[in-house]
């Protein structure tokens, strides 16, 4: 039995240990905010935080998560109460089709918590593991920049 | 075909002794560290039915320790850990710079130095830095341990000289004298998340008159395995870096590599790009601060 915390809630996992985190999230626990784009670690759509660090949920087997703290986009905010990053994406056009958005948000959240650089280069680096086919990145970077610089 | 979780045999040892015993008993089991290479292959359905020896519970292999003589990096230390490590940045900045170019933050947070080495890709981005720092790779099996000079780790594309049942435990980098000039460069299609077309690391020591005391220069993606430029290094010893000498070194580079043309680049482009990097470094135009 693998015990972990997902978005602050304790979960026990009894399936095959080599199942991927993304499948447990989406299929076992109905947390479909985390998206699968490529299944190869390239696109970052599946980005979650594991013990506070960004990870591709398509590349992590459940067996590695005993005792881990997993956070998904569902932990950031709710439709009624968006967090600052989510609000900035909504206001600045950081999302178009939305497939990349949960991963972008989680990569940006990791960067925010790590107190990473707030300039364009720092943000680009933080999002370099995430692909977007729609926005051309400009609005995403502006969204993150606004959220990082915004006052509480 | 996709990965079939139910088809896998999954072993997760809790300490190194158990890991080495299991590795000896099941020499076919595939070691798993951060999974950033293995899970890609598994997702594509290429590893179904295999046994997996998951090393990620071995906390002893996740440490970095420095001594007066050098630094010991556990096999399970991640690229992200190395990027953040103060003493590594001070004493071995080319390795820290290399780790910062491996994939994006998600890959850096899980991918390990041991996994990068064991994977033995011709494009492994840490290899030129490990080659110029003359790393020693410590491996162990249930029968005992040994230490491989980095230059003797690779047998070819995706092949190492590790014996069945042998695991990488740690990597030792001796502390080099302060270089007068140093360089890490990765040439890719974009800055992050791209497999390199060519990757280079260099250390240069000169004497007070400006003559070369020692050059160490290594290239990745330019041959089946990482290459030190032995001919150019030998030629430059004791010489001043004037125009003709630099040109001759760039010409000699060719004799130590065998680039190929593939989906990422052509052999001619790779050769020219790496010659330009070597020239820029020797002429003092290209440097890593
Ligand atoms: C999107 C993406 C981008 C990438 N970009 C880069 C890049 O820019 N540069 C680069 O160099 N690499 C890159 N990689 C490859 C990979 O991330 C690195 O090679 C990483 O360091 C592998 O480490 P790991 O711990 O994840 O390895 P794993 O996948 O866990 O293992 C890799 C191999 O090493 C073996 N192994 C692992 N640990 C040990 C050990 N201690 N002893 C013996 N064998 C062991 C495994 O059996 C396996 O064969 C990328 C991968 C992806 C998916
Ligand atoms: S789905 Fe995981 S990185 Fe693309
Ligand atoms: S908004 Fe469509 S992929 Fe980014």
């Amino acid at each position: 039995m693998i015990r972990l915390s997902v978005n602050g809630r304790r979960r026990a996992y009894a399936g095959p240990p080599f199942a991927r985190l993304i499948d447990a999230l989406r299929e076992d626990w109905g947390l479909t905010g985390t998206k699968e784009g490529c299944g190869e670690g390239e696109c970052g759509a599946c980005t979650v935080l594991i013990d506070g660090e960004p990870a591709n949920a398509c590349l992590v087997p459940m067996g590695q998560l005993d005792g881990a703290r997993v956070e998904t986009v569902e932990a950031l905010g709710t439709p009624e109460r968006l967090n600052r990053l989510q609000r900035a994406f909504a206001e600045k056009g950081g999302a178009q089709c939305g497939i990349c958005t949960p991963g972008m948000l989680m990569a940006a959240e990791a960067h925010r918590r790590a107190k990473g650089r707030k300039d364009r280069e720092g943000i680009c680096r933080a999002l370099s593991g995430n692909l977007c086919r729609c926005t051309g990145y400009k609005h995403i970077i502006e969204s993150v920049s606004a959220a990082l610089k915004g006052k509480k | 075909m996709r990965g079939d979780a139910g088809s896998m045999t999954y072993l997760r040892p809790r300490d190194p002794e158990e890991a080495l015993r299991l590795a000896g008993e099941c020499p076919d089991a595939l070691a798993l560290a951060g999974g950033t290479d293995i899970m890609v292959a598994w997702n594509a359905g290429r590893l179904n039915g295999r046994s997996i020896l998951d090393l990620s519970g071995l906390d002893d292999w996740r440490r970095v320790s420095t001594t007066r003589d050098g630094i010991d990096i556990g096999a399970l230390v991640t690229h992200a850990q190395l990027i953040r490590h103060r003493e590594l940045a001070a004493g071995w900045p080319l390795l820290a710079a290399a780790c910062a170019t491996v994939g994006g933050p998600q890959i850096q947070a899980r991918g390990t130095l041991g996994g990068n080495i064991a994977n033995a890709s011709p494009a492994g981005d840490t290899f030129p830095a490990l080659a110029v720092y003359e790393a020693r790779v410590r491996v162990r099996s249930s029968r005992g341990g040994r230490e491989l000079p980095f230059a003797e780790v690779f047998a070819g594309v995706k092949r190492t000289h590790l014996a069945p049942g042998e695991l990488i435990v740690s990597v030792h980098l001796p502390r080099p004298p302060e270089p007068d000039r140093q360089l890490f460069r990765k040439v890719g299609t974009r800055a992050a998340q791209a497999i390199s077309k060519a990757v280079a690391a260099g250390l240069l020591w000169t004497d007070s008159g400006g003559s070369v005391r020692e050059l160490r220069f290594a290239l990745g993606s330019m041959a089946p395995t990482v290459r030190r430029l032995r001919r150019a290094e030998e030629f430059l010893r004791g010489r001043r870096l004037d125009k003709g000498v630099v040109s001759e070194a760039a010409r000699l580079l060719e004799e130590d590599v065998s680039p190929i043309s593939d989906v990422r680049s052509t052999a001619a482009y790779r050769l020219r790009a790496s010659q330009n990097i070597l020239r820029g470094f020797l002429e003092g135009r290209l440097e890593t601060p």
Side-chain angles (χ1 to χ4, degrees):
Chain A
M1 186 76 86
I2 290 152
R3 290 173 205 284
L4 68 162
S5 121
V6 180
N7 297 339
R9 177 168 163 196
R10 267 186 273 169
R11 298 270 188 183
Y13 172 85
F18 218 67
R20 306 176 306 168
L21 172 59
I22 188 164
D23 296 325
L25 290 172
R26 293 179 57 87
E27 287 160 28
D28 296 0
W29 301 321
L31 293 168
T32 53
T34 304
K35 305 299 179 203
E36 178 160 9
C38 64
E40 295 182 350
E42 294 281 349
C43 75
C46 63
T47 302
V48 299
L49 304 188
I50 299 177
D51 297 325
E53 292 206 74
N56 296 310
C58 72
L59 298 184
V60 182
M62 288 305 294
Q64 294 196 328
L65 293 172
D66 200 29
R69 188 163 47 85
V70 174
E71 293 165 84
T72 69
V73 71
E74 283 90 347
L76 288 188
T78 61
E80 299 74 38
R81 280 186 63 111
L82 297 177
N83 90 342
R84 201 190 306 166
L85 274 164
Q86 291 170 313
R87 211 171 327 115
F89 270 65
E91 284 166 7
K92 303 236 171 245
Q96 285 185 24
C97 82
I99 283 285
C100 71
T101 312
M104 290 284 178
L105 286 167
M106 296 314 281
E109 174 68 7
H111 186 62
R112 185 188 70 76
R113 287 196 205 169
K115 300 200 177 5
R117 286 169 49 182
K118 297 181 183 177
D119 60 345
R120 191 172 184 284
E121 199 192 320
I123 294 171
C124 285
R125 210 176 264 268
L127 301 182
S128 63
N130 295 73
L131 298 181
C132 174
R133 300 182 133 182
C134 307
T135 65
Y137 302 100
K138 185 165 173 282
H139 294 288
I140 293 179
I141 291 158
E142 285 168 8
S143 304
V144 175
S145 174
L148 292 182
K149 288 181 181 145
K151 307 237 162 16
K152 247 236 151 77
Chain B
M1 194 155 89
R2 300 265 320 219
D4 172 9
S7 74
M8 311 298 288
T9 305
Y10 179 74
L11 308 164
R12 192 160 194 266
R14 254 160 302 168
D15 58 63
E17 273 53 51
E18 190 187 358
L20 295 170
R21 180 175 57 74
L22 288 170
E25 287 168 8
C26 335
D28 292 335
L30 202 52
L32 173 72
T36 59
D37 279 308
I38 289 203
M39 293 305 289
V40 174
W42 183 76
N43 281 345
R46 288 203 296 274
L47 299 178
N48 285 337
R50 295 286 302 263
S51 298
I52 298 288
L53 181 64
D54 184 354
L55 307 177
S56 65
L58 308 182
D59 291 338
D60 286 355
W61 294 7
R62 204 179 286 291
R63 297 201 180 103
V64 184
S65 55
T66 34
T67 62
R68 206 159 357 107
D69 310 331
I71 190 164
D72 282 301
I73 304 169
L76 295 175
V77 171
T78 63
H79 300 292
Q81 261 178 289
L82 292 173
I83 295 165
R84 291 191 295 253
H85 200 275
R86 289 243 164 80
E87 285 160 294
L88 188 83
W92 299 267
L94 303 182
L95 181 58
C99 292
T101 71
V102 173
Q106 296 90 334
I107 297 292
Q108 289 160 8
R110 306 240 10 128
T112 65
L113 188 63
N116 198 232
I117 296 171
N119 196 45
S121 156
D125 280 323
T126 63
F127 302 170
L130 294 171
V132 297
Y133 288 130
E134 307 195 324
R136 304 185 66 83
V137 177
R138 292 177 176 151
V139 304
R140 266 176 75 190
S141 72
S142 54
R143 294 175 307 283
R146 61 188 179 122
E147 204 175 79
L148 293 165
F150 190 67
E152 291 168 25
V153 169
F154 301 113
V157 174
K158 296 255 159 194
R159 288 189 298 123
T160 67
H161 286 296
L162 295 195
E166 256 179 352
L167 297 173
I168 300 175
V169 175
S170 65
V171 177
H172 175 79
L173 306 183
R175 191 180 289 279
E178 184 80 26
D180 295 295
R181 212 181 284 168
Q182 57 191 337
L183 175 75
F184 172 79
R185 262 294 185 285
K186 171 170 169 174
V187 184
T189 34
R190 54 195 179 111
Q193 194 90 333
I195 297 173
S196 58
K197 295 176 179 180
V199 52
L203 293 170
L204 177 70
W205 293 270
T206 51
D207 62 25
S208 49
S211 300
V212 173
R213 265 193 299 145
E214 186 180 353
L215 168 74
R216 297 184 199 165
F217 203 91
L219 288 169
S221 288
M222 292 292 293
T225 63
V226 61
R227 286 296 157 82
R228 278 280 290 273
L229 300 182
R230 297 290 181 190
R231 287 179 179 82
E233 290 178 359
E234 195 50 47
F235 167 73
L236 288 175
R237 197 181 295 276
R239 289 184 203 260
R240 294 179 59 93
L241 292 167
D242 59 36
K243 219 165 171 223
V245 165
V246 171
S247 292
E248 177 61 9
R251 194 192 63 75
L252 285 170
L253 177 155
E254 223 170 311
E255 296 183 15
D256 273 312
V257 297
S258 50
I260 55 162
S261 297
D262 62 14
V263 288
R264 280 182 291 280
S265 193
T266 65
Y269 175 85
R270 289 193 157 104
L271 189 60
R272 205 147 39 91
S274 50
Q275 284 172 324
N276 287 343
I277 294 171
L278 178 63
R279 268 176 189 283
F281 180 58
L282 295 177
E283 290 168 1
R285 287 182 286 112
L286 287 182
E287 255 186 281
T288 297

